[in-house]
Amino acid sequence: MSRYDASVIEQKWQAAWNEAGSFTATRDESKPKYYVLEMFPYPSGRIHMGHVRNYSLGDVIARYKSSCGFSVLHPMGWDAFGMPAENAAMASNGHPKDWTYTNIETMKDQLRPLGFSIDWTREFATCDPEYYGQQQSMFLDFLEKGMVYRKAATVNWDPVDMTVLANEQVIDGKGWRSGAAVERRELTQWFFNISDYSEDLLNALDGLDDWPDKVKSMQRNWIGKSTGLQFAFSLVDGPHGHDRVDVYTTRPDTLMGASFVGISPDHPLARQLERENEDVAAFCAKCRQMGTSEEELETAEKLGFDSGLTVLHPFDTAWELPVYIANFILMDYGTGAIFGCPAHDARDLEFARKYDLPVNSTFEPVEAEDHVAPENGGEAYVPPKPQPVRYIRGFAGDEIQTGDAGIASAVAFCETNGVGQGITKYRLRDWGLSRQRYWGCPIPVVHCEDCGVVPEKKENLPIRLPDDVTFDVPGNPLDRHPSWRNCDCPRCGKPARRETDTMDTFVDSSWYFARFTAPRADTPTDRAEADYWMNVDQYIGGIEHAILHLLYSRFFARAMNECGMLPDKAREPFDALFTQGMVTHAIYQTTREQDGRPVYHYPEEVDLKDGKAFLKEDGREVQIVPSAKMSKSKNNVVDPLAIIESYGADTARWFVLSDSPPERDVEWTASGADAAFKHLGRVWRLTSEIAALDDGAGKGDADLTRAMHRAIHDVTMGIESFGFNAAIAKLYAFTNTLAKSDAGGAAKRAAAKVLAQLMSPMTPHLSEECWQMLGGEGLVTGHPWPKADEAMLVEDTVTLPIQINGKRRSEITVAKDLPKDAVEKLVLDDAAVQKALDGGAPKKLIVVPGRIVNVVV
RNA sequence: GCCCGAGUGGCGGAAUGGUAGACGCAGCGGAUUCAAAAUCCGCCGGUAGCAAUACCGUGGGGGUUCGAGUCCCCCCUCGGGCACCA
């Protein structure tokens, strides 16, 4: 072999690793363990560059930690339940199971050539009955502990297809297939009691030192702890059984500015009025013609309906406020009712102006000169709570105080006057896990006419999904299956019916990390294995999972701990979290003549020239749309397999790790991949040249050795801090130094061996090959990581830039430990400084030792 | 609408509050070659200048500081999430 041939090298070393069992994780109590996990993929059918990046990042860590002497667990599995499989089945008359397992095989075949250090013996898919059976067993434990319960909840209902829709299946308020206006409908559903853990989930965030602040911040806001006042307005002449409206507010200090009360269309009072009044019924029906997502609710036009009822203000019984039914108030939040204070809430102000309701400020800015009060046409005045304001209609307390103090005064005043009480609330709602779909984990309960809801017996698990189902009509195939739902009541033995709801796929992904510690155990976990391998030392995945998946997993870890399946330390299952950016690519777009709709072209259909793009087919110019997430619908996907075939896995890995910092989005460019390949070829050539050198000393030995230790230090720091792009920049620099060095063969060989080691987490195949050429012992995989000699890192002189008034004007080179006053003297003698001073004395002279000097004149 | 990020040369990006543009790509010039590919060497933010050098420059506008890409305030644009996409 006379040139770098990735296909030969990569197959050779993958076979060697397999034979050596290099990546099989073994519980070895004598060694420290390291569990590195990337978020497992959904088996969509093809791996994409995002996967390559995600697993390359994890593989660097796994291989590095292995070289550092850890017993490493680096598993892989499949998040295999979910809607796309059912959609595919509908589209192609196939079966979700076949589609899913075929995809898994395809994707595994695509992943394997990348040479990741994955322990494939632990692989599983969440749709394996062995996995979901353990999940059912866990569900029964949770049920027994009172952590799962049933209640009514709203879903998106497609009235034409007679089926429940996911939020993404609701497009502009219409069902994606039928096009019918979607309605909100209530169903009885299963819920996990995650909200009981609100305080714990919130407080424990403070201990997650190695999580990104942005993720913790998003979770804090999601949990949404608030303190406020809960109280009741008494209803004037309410319908039978309704004499009050309970309200929760975080701004009780604005109570004297209340101008209306709003209730949800699903509020019991609204429901009552709906029965009595056709107009109310029509309005409520209209409100329900909308999806359930918060985004849709918040962006929809705010509509209200005057119920005709009034309530009394708690502090002035002569003051009556109208009660509106409003489409933006959700029954699931708080009490399903609010009071509106238009002066201090933008949404309430919009509402008040629309329905001509009064606006009364309760406070104004301390400096009020330029302030246009909302009652005079200004904007709603909503200062942050810690900011002092001047109260006009406040409660006991100073006229000028902060919002926080005003709120505290209001709560105290209300409590002493018997109007409500201060309470703490959380925005976090319980987790609804019921799905009216086939391709998910069946909920293992039985409905019996006599016994009600009865848990299935554990010895009957797993409750398997039936295979003989079709998707030719909409709706849940489990519901219409001729026999599947028929069973005997586990309690009384009489004929009963199975639950046909399946579990949210977030349940599957909320404990897979624990299952990887003992994937074949006949209980959900094996405590000895879980105690050894947990926690996940480094978890890596997309920022899009910052809230739901991670919060649900944190909840599950707590629940599993309380059921004895995980140790206490695993209540927070992920010690460190890293969120990587997406892989993006430019979109090549032309416009179809007939109707002006865009046509998207694959990158391989396009030639690039001078920053412009032309169709290979007919030379037409193509519009280049700035990068977007690689997506099938935009055709801007690059197939990793094609890259591997033309350049090799190491090139693909090197490229996705270089250039962009891992937390940021990375743009895939053909030229970048080309450059990565060239560089690897250069390393291969350089190594083969060095391998042929005779031993012996050379002039540059000392310099090269220094550079080698510097490289060890810098690259190690780069890997430790997830600065892989920076580590790679250092590797480029070290390669250049090595190529230009006039050191002798012995020093060069030592340096080249270190280069192979330092590159091995990123380009493991090439590194093995280089290691072998240089006569390295055994495999470089798992070979002890090189250590930098601290003494070799110290420089004895340092170049100090000299700034004059903050602008760099000159520099001096001095001994590293030269005293400050000696530096000052040298600086004042500097020609540029002399010129700037023009005979005078500096106003100020700042010397930052080892860094910089600034002369202020 | 609400929450969380990001924005630096032609491009990807580097920079504990301390020399803005490391490293790479593209481009330009040169070596090698019959020629090309490959490889190697050099230049490479903008404006002015033969040059030394000067001024401008990190999305926009203010501020703090001896010194701001970095910290604070306001704004713009793009991206992620919003509880049934995964």
Side-chain angles (χ1 to χ4, degrees):
Chain A
M1 189 166 54
S2 58
R3 48 183 280 270
Y4 172 49
D5 186 341
S7 62
V8 172
I9 290 177
E10 290 176 1
Q11 283 188 21
K12 170 176 157 191
W13 292 108
Q14 282 171 22
W17 298 327
N18 275 341
E19 195 165 319
S22 297
F23 312 131
T24 308
T26 42
R27 196 171 108 212
D28 179 349
E29 306 282 354
S30 70
K31 272 167 114 180
K33 67 89 191 179
Y34 197 91
Y35 182 2
V36 54
L37 181 67
E38 303 98 2
M39 290 179 186
F40 66 164
Y42 179 79
S44 58
R46 296 196 75 79
I47 60 164
H48 53 72
M49 277 300 164
H51 293 124
V52 175
R53 191 179 196 206
N54 191 196
Y55 306 128
S56 295
L57 296 173
D59 206 43
V60 171
I61 300 291
R63 287 175 177 272
Y64 167 71
K65 289 292 177 182
S66 172
S67 281
C68 291
F70 289 88
S71 176
V72 169
L73 172 57
H74 185 207
M76 178 64 68
W78 308 93
D79 188 12
F81 275 136
M83 284 202 314
E86 291 194 23
N87 295 339
M90 277 180 237
S92 67
N93 245 333
H95 195 285
K97 186 174 166 181
D98 300 333
W99 184 83
T100 303
Y101 281 105
T102 305
N103 284 352
I104 288 174
E105 283 316 305
T106 313
M107 289 176 75
K108 214 175 0 172
D109 287 345
Q110 294 172 336
L111 272 181
R112 283 212 131 112
L114 282 158
F116 295 130
S117 63
I118 289 166
D119 180 358
W120 286 101
T121 66
R122 290 172 186 257
E123 177 195 5
F124 59 76
T126 55
C127 62
D128 297 342
E130 294 73 27
Y131 183 81
Y132 71 71
Q134 296 304 331
Q135 187 162 303
Q136 290 169 339
S137 159
M138 217 158 36
F139 178 92
L140 294 177
D141 289 346
F142 290 5
L143 185 60
E144 199 180 327
K145 285 227 168 211
M147 295 189 282
V148 204
Y149 68 99
R150 297 211 313 160
K151 71 171 178 183
T154 47
V155 294
N156 300 310
W157 180 256
D158 185 323
V160 169
D161 278 352
M162 303 287 279
T163 183
V164 177
L165 298 179
N167 283 337
E168 81 161 359
Q169 296 173 318
V170 179
I171 297 155
D172 296 332
K174 301 203 165 49
W176 66 334
R177 283 174 191 283
S178 69
V182 167
E183 297 169 8
R184 287 211 298 265
R185 192 178 256 219
E186 286 207 327
L187 288 182
T188 301
Q189 313 234 59
W190 288 94
F191 282 83
F192 288 122
N193 68 338
I194 186 172
S195 67
D196 289 356
Y197 293 78
S198 300
E199 187 66 28
D200 183 20
L201 289 167
L202 178 66
N203 288 335
L205 288 171
D206 293 333
L208 298 175
D209 296 330
D210 293 320
W211 278 43
D213 287 337
K214 61 179 170 185
V215 173
K216 289 188 275 187
S217 161
M218 282 188 259
Q219 293 218 352
R220 264 183 212 109
N221 291 333
W222 188 261
I223 294 167
K225 183 177 185 174
S226 69
T227 52
L229 180 76
Q230 177 138 350
F231 68 102
F233 288 101
S234 52
L235 201 51
V236 181
D237 300 329
H240 180 70
H242 296 270
D243 57 358
R244 51 188 271 172
V245 178
D246 286 305
V247 163
Y248 172 76
T249 176
T250 57
R251 288 309 298 248
D253 57 329
T254 66
L255 188 46
M256 298 311 285
S259 72
F260 65 94
V261 166
I263 61 172
S264 163
D266 298 318
H267 192 277
L269 178 58
R271 288 280 168 90
Q272 179 64 38
L273 295 172
E274 207 177 343
R275 285 191 283 273
E276 296 169 1
N277 181 322
E278 273 179 32
D279 295 338
V280 173
F283 179 79
C284 288
K286 193 177 166 193
C287 289
R288 288 189 195 105
Q289 279 197 2
M290 212 191 336
T292 56
S293 78
E294 186 178 319
E295 184 187 3
E296 195 179 340
L297 246 62
E298 286 286 331
T299 50
E301 191 194 354
K302 311 290 180 287
L303 294 176
F305 185 89
D306 188 349
S307 70
L309 292 172
T310 57
V311 294
L312 302 180
H313 195 282
F315 294 117
D316 181 357
T317 50
W319 184 358
E320 292 191 17
L321 303 170
V323 176
Y324 276 76
I325 303 167
N327 67 344
F328 57 88
I329 302 169
L330 257 188
M331 198 53 218
D332 297 352
Y333 287 120
T335 61
I338 59 148
F339 78 78
C341 177
H344 303 296
D345 183 286
R347 190 176 63 182
D348 292 350
L349 184 61
E350 189 192 328
F351 193 83
R353 287 187 174 149
K354 187 165 182 175
Y355 295 105
D356 205 19
L357 297 164
V359 179
N360 299 309
S361 289
T362 62
F363 50 77
E364 61 182 17
V366 176
E367 310 280 342
E369 290 90 63
D370 299 331
H371 178 64
V372 182
E375 37 272 75
N376 299 328
E379 291 178 1
Y381 179 51
V382 195
K385 288 178 191 170
Q387 186 176 313
V389 295
R390 184 188 310 279
Y391 277 90
I392 310 163
R393 297 183 182 84
F395 294 84
D398 296 330
E399 189 179 297
I400 293 180
Q401 54 184 180
T402 63
D404 285 317
I407 290 166
S409 312
V411 171
F413 184 84
C414 290
E415 283 182 343
T416 47
N417 287 279
V419 176
Q421 60 189 142
I423 59 167
T424 297
K425 268 195 186 289
Y426 301 87
R427 200 183 80 101
L428 179 63
R429 309 199 296 256
D430 275 341
W431 170 11
L433 68 125
S434 295
R435 296 292 180 270
Q436 294 70 41
R437 275 188 261 286
Y438 167 78
W439 195 233
C441 170
I443 294 174
V445 298
V446 167
H447 299 272
C448 170
E449 266 186 34
D450 293 346
C451 311
V453 177
V454 184
E456 186 53 88
K457 289 180 184 162
K458 277 203 179 173
E459 60 260 36
N460 293 339
L461 301 185
I463 304 300
R464 287 169 185 268
L465 289 168
D467 286 339
D468 52 336
V469 288
T470 56
F471 294 85
D472 42 357
V473 280
N476 182 356
L478 294 180
D479 264 337
R480 56 173 191 266
H481 190 278
S483 58
W484 185 78
R485 58 188 306 183
N486 300 329
C487 63
D488 297 331
C489 171
R491 190 167 296 158
C492 71
K494 278 207 243 169
R497 287 175 303 111
R498 281 199 189 291
E499 171 72 64
T500 57
D501 281 358
T502 52
M503 296 187 203
D504 178 7
T505 55
F506 272 122
V507 179
D508 313 334
S509 56
S510 290
W511 71 287
Y512 76 106
F513 50 88
R515 185 70 183 168
F516 274 138
T517 64
R520 314 285 172 240
D522 52 14
T523 46
T525 61
D526 174 319
R527 272 303 295 269
E529 297 289 341
D531 288 6
Y532 177 77
W533 288 113
M534 288 299 287
N535 295 344
V536 176
D537 292 276
Q538 182 66 60
Y539 196 32
I540 305 169
I543 185 67
E544 67 271 22
H545 295 293
I547 297 175
L548 293 179
H549 163 61
L550 289 167
L551 196 62
Y552 290 157
S553 297
R554 295 178 64 217
F555 160 71
F556 244 71
R558 283 161 169 76
M560 288 175 76
N561 166 249
E562 283 161 32
C563 294
M565 297 172 217
L566 284 177
D568 290 348
K569 67 175 179 181
R571 285 176 68 89
E572 278 303 336
F574 311 123
D575 284 351
L577 173 70
F578 188 87
T579 54
Q580 105 245 5
M582 298 176 302
V583 179
T584 65
H585 194 286
I587 296 166
Y588 303 118
Q589 181 182 323
T590 52
T591 306
R592 192 157 57 189
E593 266 178 41
Q594 304 94 288
D595 52 12
R597 283 173 62 178
V599 180
Y600 301 108
H601 304 278
Y602 286 101
E604 58 263 32
E605 298 171 354
V606 167
D607 274 327
L608 291 176
K609 207 178 160 194
D610 301 333
K612 289 181 178 174
F614 302 91
L615 267 190
K616 280 182 185 166
E617 193 181 85
D618 56 9
R620 270 189 302 154
E621 183 166 355
V622 174
Q623 193 191 343
I624 303 178
V625 180
S627 256
K629 180 177 178 172
M630 283 194 181
S631 145
K632 265 191 170 167
S633 63
K634 300 277 195 287
N635 284 354
N636 65 334
V637 288
V638 171
D639 185 353
L641 269 197
I643 302 298
I644 295 168
E645 271 163 28
S646 44
Y647 295 111
D650 281 340
T651 293
R653 297 169 57 124
W654 183 261
F655 175 71
V656 292
L657 292 168
S658 62
D659 281 13
S660 271
E663 68 275 16
R664 228 172 312 161
D665 292 352
V666 65
E667 161 119 9
W668 180 271
T669 58
S671 60
D674 213 45
F677 180 71
K678 275 187 195 169
H679 179 73
L680 298 189
R682 188 169 175 232
V683 170
W684 186 91
R685 268 195 320 279
L686 183 60
T687 302
S688 54
E689 284 162 22
I690 289 173
L693 292 178
D694 292 330
D695 275 340
K699 196 163 70 160
D701 284 3
D703 284 346
L704 183 60
T705 304
R706 254 174 198 286
M708 180 181 87
H709 284 278
R710 172 55 59 188
I712 294 171
H713 177 264
D714 290 351
V715 172
T716 305
M717 298 299 282
I719 291 175
E720 290 272 358
S721 63
F722 264 86
F724 300 144
N725 56 323
I728 284 182
K730 303 291 184 190
L731 285 167
Y732 270 107
F734 181 47
T735 307
N736 286 336
T737 305
L738 178 57
K740 289 175 187 169
S741 169
D742 53 0
K748 279 193 175 180
R749 205 172 349 264
K753 281 174 83 171
V754 163
L755 178 64
Q757 282 182 286
L758 294 180
M759 285 176 69
S760 66
M762 294 104 172
T763 56
H765 313 87
L766 173 63
S767 291
E768 290 289 5
E769 189 69 20
C770 292
W771 184 252
Q772 188 186 49
M773 284 195 268
L774 295 162
E777 183 197 336
L779 293 168
V780 74
T781 296
H783 194 86
W785 193 252
K787 272 204 167 55
D789 180 351
E790 292 291 329
M792 297 291 240
L793 303 176
V794 185
E795 308 283 344
D796 24 315
T797 62
V798 59
T799 301
L800 292 180
I802 298 175
Q803 294 184 332
I804 293 168
N805 292 336
K807 292 194 182 213
R808 184 188 172 281
R809 283 295 125 95
S810 180
E811 62 179 35
I812 48 170
T813 301
V814 298
K816 189 176 170 290
D817 47 3
L818 192 71
K820 216 168 167 176
D821 50 347
V823 173
E824 286 180 9
K825 198 157 172 294
L826 285 170
V827 167
L828 292 175
D829 288 344
D830 182 85
V833 175
Q834 290 271 324
K835 193 180 156 208
L837 286 174
D838 197 23
K843 263 191 206 158
K844 209 166 179 179
L845 187 57
I846 294 145
V847 177
V848 184
R851 304 293 318 199
I852 202 164
V853 180
N854 193 8
V855 186
V856 186
V857 298

